[in-house]
Amino acid sequence: MEGHPYGYNIPISEKTKEVPWEEKVRVYEEVKSDFRFKEFLFGCLNCGVCTASCPSNRFFDYSPREIVQRFLEEDVEVIYDMMHEYIWACSQCFTCWIRCPFVNNPGGLVIIMREVAVRNAFEATKDLLKPYGRVLLKVMTTGNQLSADMLQPDFFPDWGPKMQDNMENIRAKRMAIPFDVGKSVKTAWEVSLETAIEMYTIWRETGIFEMLEKLDPNLYNVIMDIVEENEERWEELMEEEEEE
Amino acid sequence: MGHGKSPYLRYADPEPFPILNKHSHYDHLFEEMHELEEKGEILVYRITEENKPVEVFTRTGRIKTVPTAKLWHHKSCGQCGNIPGYPASIFWFMNKFGYDYLNEPHQTSCTAWNYHGSGTSNPVALAAVWLRNMHQAWKTGYYPLIHCGTSFGSYKETREQLIFNKELRDAVKPILKKLGRLTEDGRIVIPQEVVHYSEWVHAVRHKIAELYEKEGKAKGIDVSNVRVAIHNACHTWKMMADDYPYDPEVYNGQRPAASTAVVKALGAQVVDYSTWYDCCGFGFRHILTEREFTRSFAIQRKLKVIAEEIKADLIVTHDTGCTTTFEKNQWIGKAHGMYHPVAVMSDVMFAALACGAHPFKVVQLYWNCSNYEPLLEKMGITNWKELRKEWEDTVKHIAELEKEGKYDELMEFFKEYDLYEPYSRTSDGFKRRRSASADMPLFKS
C-alpha cells in the first residue's frame, strides 16, 4: 500500500515491505495484547481535535488521529511501519487524551508501541535512542534520571552563556544547596545504596535489563559493570556489619 | 456527600462549579480501592489528622484530601539535579510553618521520564518502583508528597492500572515480596491520594499569603504589579485529568486551580493568554536529543505569544520539565530575532521570593539561565546583587574547606547553613548512610 486515501500518506518503507507478513502480525498482536490497549482505544469520529492540538504535529509529520485510525482499521502494515520512526515524534503530553470526546488515548497507544519497538530491538529504535544513552545509564544505575554532571555546557551551547558560568566550580555550588541529600554532583540527590540495590532487583525481575541488552549491548555491559560493582559493595558492607 | 460505601469517594454538595464529567471512570477507582482493602488485598495508606488535611475539589466535583504536614518528600530528579531552589523552597515553607517532614535518601525517581522518553521499561517495573517508594514512605509514617509532575501523573496512572487490573497486581506482588516491600500480612501499600506538591501549595496558599503580608512586605517586597503568565504542566492536569484541583475562584472551576490560585492569593496579576493550554515542548526525549523541536515549540507557541499578547514579567510553572524548557530556550531565540526574555520559575519559588526567602541560598536562582533580575527589581528585592555576592562568597568558603580537607568544619558549617534542622531528618542517620554515587564528603564518613 502506498499511503492512504485520506490522511496518512507516508509511503511504507522498503524495509517494512521486506518483513514477512507473519512477523508484522506478530508485532501488531504484541501491541494489542497489552492490558492497557483496551483502555486506550475506543470509537473515533475522525474529528481531528487531537491532531489540531498536538504539539508534535506542528513540527513533525505526526498525527495522533492517524494512530487511532490505523488501529481501528487494523492496518497491520502501517502500524508496523509507524513503530520505526513515526511514533518517536510524540511529545507524550497527552493533550490528545484530555481533548478526545471518546477518551481515546493516542499518547498511551504510542507508549505501548514504543515499548514493543524497544523489546523487539528495531534498528530505527536503536539509532534513535543512541544519544539518549546517558540518561539510561544514569537511571538504571543510580535511580535518578538527571544529575548536575550530565548538564555539560558543551553539550548545551544553545542554552546560553549563563549555562557556562553555572557549571564552574560545580562541586562547591552543589554543596551550597541547603539540604543534605541534595549535595550531589553525580545524582540529583544522594540515593542510598540499598535503594539502588532494590531497584536492580526490579530491573532484573521485570526484564528491563534484557530490553537494554537488545537495545544497546555496549551500554548494557557498562551498566552491568556498575550494577555488579555496587552489588558487591553492598554485600561487603553487609558482611562488615555482621562482623561488627 | 458520601458515595457508596467507600470512605475515599466523596462529592461536593452543592456542586462548587459547573461540572462536565460527573462520576467519572477514574473516580470509580476509589470504590474499587476500598473493596480491595476490605478483601485484605491491599493496605490503603490513609491520610490522618496528623497530616493536617485540607479538602480541595477535582474537576468531577470529587473532594480530594490534601495532606499538608508530616510528609515524606518524593523528590524530583529534574528539580534536584537542575533547579535545586525548587525543592529548597518547599522545605523552606515547611520550616516556616513548623511542619514536620522527612527528606531521605531511600527513594528512587519514578523512572517515568525515562519511560515516556525511551519506552525502556514496562507497567510492572513502573508499578514496582512506585510501590517500593510508597512502602518506604509508609514504613516511616510520613505521607508521600510527590514533587515532580511526571511522577505525579505516572503514579496516578499506575494506581488506576493496579486497582483495575488483577493481572498487574499479581505480577508485581512477588517482586515486592522479594524486596520485603509488602506488609507483614502480604498486602500491597497504596496511598489514599496521590498528591503533587502544587496541590500542597494550593492547599496552604492562604498561609503563604499571610506570610507574605507579615514577612515579605516587611522586607519591602511588593508583587502587586507583577504580571504573571501561568503554565500548567501536562502531566499534572492532562494525564489522569480527573485527579487535580479545580476551584470556583479560578476561572469558575473550568481550568486547573493550582499555581493560579496561589499567585492570586499573593495579589500578583494573573494575565491570561491564548495558548495557555499548550504544552511547553519538553517532550522527554526531545529536550535532550530533538532540541530543535523543543526550542521551536517553546519559543513560537509560548514565549513569543506571552511576550506579544501580555508582556508578562514572569511565567509561573509547577513542574520540572516546563521550567527547564522555558528558561533554557530563550537565549537561542536571538539567532532568529525571536528573543523574548522573561523570568521563569515554579509557583513555590515565586511564593518563597515573595515571602522573603533568600533568592540565591534558598531559591537558588543562580542556576537559572533566564533573566530573573528585572523581576527581582520589580518585586522590590533591590539588594539582589549583594545577596548574590553573599551566596558566591559562601560557595568560595565551601570550596576552600573542601580543598583543605576540613570535612568536620564543613559538616559544622552545614549544620548552621542547611534548612533541615529541626524538621527534616533522614530515617537512619548519617553514619549508616551509604550512597549509590558516593561523590560528596558528607558521605565519606
Side-chain angles (χ1 to χ4, degrees):
Chain A
M1 189 182 98
E2 293 292 339
H4 196 273
Y6 58 89
Y8 190 82
N9 286 312
I10 301 170
I12 301 293
S13 70
E14 288 305 314
K15 279 187 180 174
T16 294
K17 284 179 186 171
E18 287 165 13
V19 174
W21 174 253
E22 294 74 21
E23 173 61 8
K24 285 179 251 194
V25 171
R26 184 192 67 75
V27 169
Y28 181 78
E29 289 300 328
E30 192 175 331
V31 173
K32 272 188 74 177
S33 67
D34 189 291
F35 75 93
R36 294 166 292 179
F37 187 84
K38 63 181 188 306
E39 294 164 16
F40 291 168
L41 186 67
F42 302 97
C44 175
L45 290 173
N46 244 324
C47 68
V49 74
C50 53
T51 297
S53 48
C54 171
S56 296
N57 175 259
R58 288 182 184 275
F59 293 94
F60 293 109
D61 208 342
Y62 172 78
S63 161
R65 181 180 67 84
E66 289 297 344
I67 300 280
V68 170
Q69 281 293 316
R70 291 314 113 224
F71 272 114
L72 287 173
E73 293 193 0
E74 302 197 315
D75 202 336
V76 173
E77 185 96 347
V78 172
I79 292 289
Y80 187 87
D81 206 48
M82 281 176 160
M83 285 174 68
H84 288 73
E85 283 188 24
Y86 190 84
I87 53 169
W88 293 96
C90 170
S91 303
Q92 289 288 291
C93 68
F94 298 104
T95 308
C96 50
W97 191 14
I98 195 174
R99 296 207 68 188
C100 176
F102 275 71
V103 208
N104 286 305
N105 182 358
L109 293 168
V110 163
I111 197 65
I112 300 174
M113 293 162 88
R114 284 183 181 179
E115 192 187 311
V116 172
V118 173
R119 205 156 48 228
N120 284 276
F122 286 173
E123 281 305 316
T125 303
K126 288 181 182 180
D127 294 342
L128 241 138
L129 292 180
K130 210 77 175 168
Y132 193 77
R134 292 184 338 145
V135 179
L136 286 169
L137 174 68
K138 191 65 80 175
V139 70
M140 293 296 157
T141 56
T142 70
N144 272 184
Q145 286 153 139
L146 187 87
S147 56
D149 66 352
M150 290 166 75
L151 300 171
Q152 298 299 326
D154 54 352
F155 196 69
F156 296 93
D158 50 330
W159 286 6
K162 279 190 179 178
M163 183 73 183
Q164 188 82 34
D165 189 32
N166 287 352
M167 300 310 286
E168 281 174 18
N169 204 6
I170 184 74
R171 281 181 63 81
K173 283 175 189 162
R174 290 294 300 182
M175 277 192 271
I177 292 169
F179 55 93
D180 52 5
V181 296
K183 299 180 194 302
S184 176
V185 176
K186 291 182 184 172
T187 44
W189 65 86
E190 287 284 353
V191 178
S192 68
L193 188 54
E194 56 260 54
T195 299
I197 300 292
E198 283 185 62
M199 193 188 61
Y200 302 156
T201 304
I202 293 173
W203 299 150
R204 276 205 180 86
E205 295 291 321
T206 55
I208 306 304
F209 283 146
E210 285 166 29
M211 272 178 117
L212 269 172
E213 190 175 15
K214 284 188 193 169
L215 183 71
D216 188 337
N218 291 333
L219 177 66
Y220 168 78
N221 286 335
V222 175
I223 288 171
M224 291 317 290
D225 281 350
I226 297 171
V227 166
E228 283 160 17
E229 192 183 308
N230 277 340
E231 286 176 334
E232 279 169 27
R233 190 153 66 92
W234 177 244
E235 276 174 30
E236 283 167 18
L237 283 164
M238 289 295 94
E239 281 169 21
E240 277 172 28
E241 247 173 47
E242 268 179 33
E243 283 169 20
E244 280 169 17
Chain B
M1 187 175 76
H3 189 79
K5 285 190 296 179
S6 172
Y8 311 122
L9 183 58
R10 291 179 301 133
Y11 287 101
D13 186 15
E15 291 172 0
F17 41 74
I19 291 167
L20 181 65
N21 299 332
K22 292 180 185 174
H23 308 296
S24 71
H25 172 72
Y26 181 85
D27 286 0
H28 181 52
L29 86 82
F30 293 95
E31 291 172 315
E32 291 285 315
M33 190 165 80
H34 183 56
E35 279 185 28
L36 290 173
E37 185 186 36
E38 297 263 279
K39 284 180 195 165
E41 196 174 332
I42 64 170
L43 181 145
V44 177
Y45 186 10
R46 293 191 181 199
I47 296 164
T48 67
E49 285 306 310
E50 206 179 16
N51 302 117
K52 300 187 195 304
V54 171
E55 292 180 343
V56 301
F57 310 117
T58 69
R59 71 172 188 165
T60 67
R62 183 175 76 83
I63 297 169
K64 179 168 186 174
T65 307
V66 177
T68 62
K70 208 174 181 209
L71 297 169
W72 186 83
H73 287 276
H74 182 291
K75 297 171 288 296
S76 152
C77 48
Q79 287 169 22
C80 289
N82 185 38
I83 325 163
Y86 204 143
S89 297
I90 300 172
F91 301 140
W92 184 81
F93 271 119
M94 295 212 170
N95 288 357
K96 279 281 177 190
F97 297 153
Y99 289 165
D100 189 11
Y101 62 88
L102 190 59
N103 174 21
E104 60 168 9
H106 307 305
Q107 177 222 327
T108 66
S109 300
C110 61
T111 71
W113 176 358
N114 171 56
Y115 186 53
H116 289 290
S118 77
T120 317
S121 191
N122 58 48
V124 183
L126 290 168
V129 167
W130 176 52
L131 292 170
R132 195 218 75 87
N133 281 330
M134 294 304 100
H135 183 275
Q136 175 63 22
W138 171 75
K139 207 171 78 171
T140 65
Y142 287 74
Y143 197 88
L145 182 73
I146 316 297
H147 288 198
C148 174
T150 287
S151 304
F152 172 66
S154 172
Y155 285 171
K156 283 190 292 183
E157 185 175 43
T158 297
R159 181 172 67 167
E160 192 207 35
Q161 289 167 356
L162 275 163
I163 297 294
F164 287 124
N165 293 282
K166 187 175 183 309
E167 63 183 271
L168 183 58
R169 295 197 299 277
D170 288 347
V172 80
K173 226 170 166 177
I175 301 167
L176 296 170
K177 191 177 179 188
K178 200 165 187 173
L179 299 177
R181 293 295 182 178
L182 294 172
T183 61
E184 279 185 12
D185 56 358
R187 289 180 288 166
I188 294 171
V189 177
I190 291 183
Q192 177 187 337
E193 298 278 9
V194 181
V195 186
H196 188 234
Y197 93 85
S198 68
E199 297 180 304
W200 179 86
V201 171
H202 180 62
V204 300
R205 65 190 183 278
H206 299 302
K207 280 178 82 78
I208 290 174
E210 279 172 26
L211 192 64
Y212 164 61
E213 291 293 332
K214 195 175 151 197
E215 296 189 16
K217 284 191 174 174
K219 287 187 174 181
I221 297 168
D222 179 1
V223 297
S224 61
N225 288 323
V226 176
R227 293 171 63 80
V228 181
I230 302 288
H231 173 78
N232 298 297
C234 296
H235 282 197
T236 61
W237 72 285
K238 293 176 186 168
M239 201 175 172
M240 317 313 293
D242 291 340
D243 197 345
Y244 197 61
Y246 286 69
D247 193 280
E249 289 178 12
V250 176
Y251 300 104
N252 197 26
Q254 304 308 305
R255 289 195 201 176
S259 300
T260 302
V262 70
V263 172
K264 282 179 73 174
L266 287 167
Q269 299 171 24
V270 173
V271 197
D272 198 12
Y273 61 105
S274 61
T275 56
W276 68 271
Y277 60 88
D278 254 333
C279 129
C280 63
F282 179 70
F284 301 88
R285 187 179 57 88
H286 300 52
I287 182 89
L288 297 169
T289 62
E290 304 270 1
R291 295 219 290 280
E292 63 282 12
F293 162 77
T294 294
R295 76 173 78 101
S296 300
F297 193 86
I299 293 172
Q300 293 184 36
R301 289 293 295 180
K302 301 293 282 202
L303 296 168
K304 181 170 178 279
V305 175
I306 287 167
E308 289 178 353
E309 288 184 6
I310 61 171
K311 294 182 172 51
D313 302 301
L314 168 69
I315 300 176
V316 157
T317 57
H318 57 226
D319 193 18
T320 317
C322 326
T323 314
T324 306
T325 300
F326 289 142
E327 72 104 1
K328 305 286 192 234
N329 287 291
Q330 295 187 19
W331 178 84
I332 189 66
K334 287 181 179 180
H336 292 283
M338 297 182 83
Y339 183 49
H340 304 292
V342 59
V344 181
M345 64 189 73
S346 67
D347 49 6
V348 73
M349 292 162 80
F350 175 60
L353 283 177
C355 294
H358 196 296
F360 300 98
K361 179 190 164 182
V362 176
V363 187
Q364 296 268 319
L365 286 180
Y366 183 84
W367 301 94
N368 211 309
C369 287
S370 62
N371 283 2
Y372 54 80
E373 298 88 348
L375 173 74
L376 296 182
E377 293 278 351
K378 194 166 185 179
M379 289 173 75
I381 308 172
T382 50
N383 63 339
W384 64 268
K385 284 182 185 162
E386 290 159 41
L387 296 172
R388 180 169 166 139
K389 171 83 171 49
E390 187 184 305
W391 186 77
E392 284 170 347
D393 288 345
T394 301
V395 172
K396 276 183 201 159
H397 179 61
I398 290 170
E400 279 163 17
L401 288 178
E402 200 199 10
K403 197 176 171 188
E404 292 164 19
K406 294 178 177 173
Y407 297 127
D408 291 340
E409 278 183 48
L410 255 183
M411 290 297 290
E412 283 302 310
F413 173 78
F414 289 137
K415 270 184 192 168
E416 291 298 316
Y417 175 83
D418 281 359
L419 293 170
Y420 60 86
E421 296 290 352
Y423 301 107
S424 167
R425 296 186 297 270
T426 53
S427 56
D428 54 5
F430 283 144
K431 283 187 179 175
R432 277 181 50 81
R433 280 166 56 181
R434 308 163 187 90
S435 167
S437 56
D439 63 337
M440 284 293 183
L442 213 58
F443 299 91
K444 286 180 179 169
S445 57

